[in-house]
Amino acid sequence: MAEGEETRLIAWSSELRNVHQRLREALNIAQEALESGESNDTATRDLLLYCRGFCTALTRHHEGEDRELFPAIAAAYPQLRETLEYLERDHAMIAHLVNRLETVIATASPSEVAQHLDGIAAIMESHFAYEERKLLTVLETLELDTDPRTVLGPL
């Protein structure tokens, strides 16, 4: 394997870690906007923007994994199919929570929105930790020739 090839292969594990960190940061921004306690139209618009931006980024990340990354891993490492199915179930559960947040965000009280964000944060963190524990080593050797934004989302 040439040096450039090894660098590209190892990049998938770095890409995943980086996207997870950016999603954590996006969630923190949404939570900080909520915690600012301001109750004016600008603060409400900012909160809606941050929450919807975070929700969109998280959803696209999981859709890309389900569509691009997980099938490539399953083909190269069939012994991980059960792990991938578990991660896909997590994605479905997180999608349900994100949809619920998007439904209530404009009408719920700040404390209700905070509860939704906290729930998503807890499950998201558990999911990311499990995913990284199970897949980072595999991603260091995975051959997948596509744009990381297509595979891991726009962040």
Side-chain angles (χ1 to χ4, degrees):
M1 174 179 339
E3 184 177 329
E5 290 176 36
E6 182 179 339
T7 300
R8 182 62 215 139
L9 294 174
I10 292 173
W12 283 108
S13 61
S14 296
E15 292 285 344
L16 182 67
R17 272 191 236 114
N18 291 338
V19 167
H20 284 176
Q21 186 55 39
R22 288 190 298 272
L23 285 165
R24 287 178 183 107
E25 291 166 4
L27 175 62
N28 286 337
I29 290 169
Q31 289 173 314
E32 287 170 6
L34 184 62
E35 290 170 3
S36 72
E38 295 178 40
S39 60
N40 59 45
D41 289 341
T42 301
T44 301
R45 280 194 307 275
D46 286 351
L47 176 60
L48 290 170
L49 175 67
Y50 297 142
C51 285
R52 288 192 173 131
F54 162 73
C55 290
T56 298
L58 183 61
T59 298
R60 288 189 181 163
H61 169 66
H62 288 157
E63 289 171 348
E65 285 181 332
D66 291 347
R67 183 183 58 250
E68 301 278 341
L69 184 63
F70 292 174
I73 293 171
Y77 301 92
Q79 70 274 19
L80 290 175
R81 285 200 171 114
E82 188 174 312
T83 297
L84 298 172
E85 289 170 4
Y86 176 85
L87 290 168
E88 288 174 343
R89 285 192 300 272
D90 267 7
H91 290 176
M93 178 178 44
I94 292 168
H96 172 75
L97 295 173
V98 165
N99 287 336
R100 181 73 183 130
L101 174 63
E102 290 178 328
T103 299
V104 302
I105 196 168
T107 58
S109 70
S111 65
E112 290 173 298
V113 174
Q115 287 176 339
H116 283 282
L117 282 174
D118 290 346
I120 291 170
I123 292 170
M124 183 185 86
E125 194 56 45
S126 172
H127 171 78
F128 285 176
Y130 179 80
E131 186 173 63
E132 290 176 6
R133 197 170 51 252
K134 294 293 187 176
L135 300 183
L136 283 181
T137 301
V138 167
L139 290 175
E140 290 176 359
T141 59
L142 184 70
E143 294 185 38
L144 183 59
D145 186 27
T146 191
D147 184 343
R149 290 172 297 193
T150 301
V151 176
L152 298 174
L155 282 180

